[in-house]
Amino acid sequence: MAIKEFDLAYLADEIKDASFVSWLIKEGDEVKEGDDLCEIVTDKASLVLSVPEDGRISSLLVKKDDRLDGSTVIFTMDVK
């Protein structure tokens, strides 16, 4: 497996500015593509983002109320 970084643009390419609300997973979790990952809020909506690939969560890099832009790396994962 290889560690990969995931930024907001990778998870939701149309979102350029958001606030982080909460994680729906934790470090060390085995996840599958499509699992619920986290909640964010934009100026227009609250959204639940999904896990983009199968793997194990390595690190969670943002916390509640952090401001996110498209280039913000929000987590890393060992991908399969």
Side-chain angles (χ1 to χ4, degrees):
M1 295 201 317
I3 294 181
K4 187 173 179 180
E5 295 181 335
F6 293 90
D7 60 26
L8 183 61
Y10 185 90
L11 299 171
D13 64 349
E14 70 282 356
I15 298 173
K16 304 300 180 221
D17 183 48
S19 287
F20 187 80
V21 176
S22 67
W23 289 108
L24 303 173
I25 46 84
K26 57 187 178 300
E27 289 181 3
D29 281 357
E30 287 282 339
V31 293
K32 299 270 188 210
E33 180 179 351
D35 287 352
D36 290 344
L37 174 69
C38 65
E39 296 176 284
I40 64 169
V41 65
T42 69
D43 61 341
K44 297 183 183 194
S46 294
L47 303 167
V48 173
L49 300 181
S50 299
V51 173
E53 300 181 32
D54 294 351
R56 179 187 303 264
I57 301 298
S58 300
S59 59
L60 305 175
L61 304 173
V62 296
K63 61 187 183 321
K64 184 170 177 52
D65 297 326
D66 281 355
R67 294 298 302 168
L68 310 174
D69 64 28
S71 65
T72 304
V73 176
I74 65 171
F75 75 104
T76 63
M77 182 169 77
D78 289 333
V79 295
K80 294 184 176 186

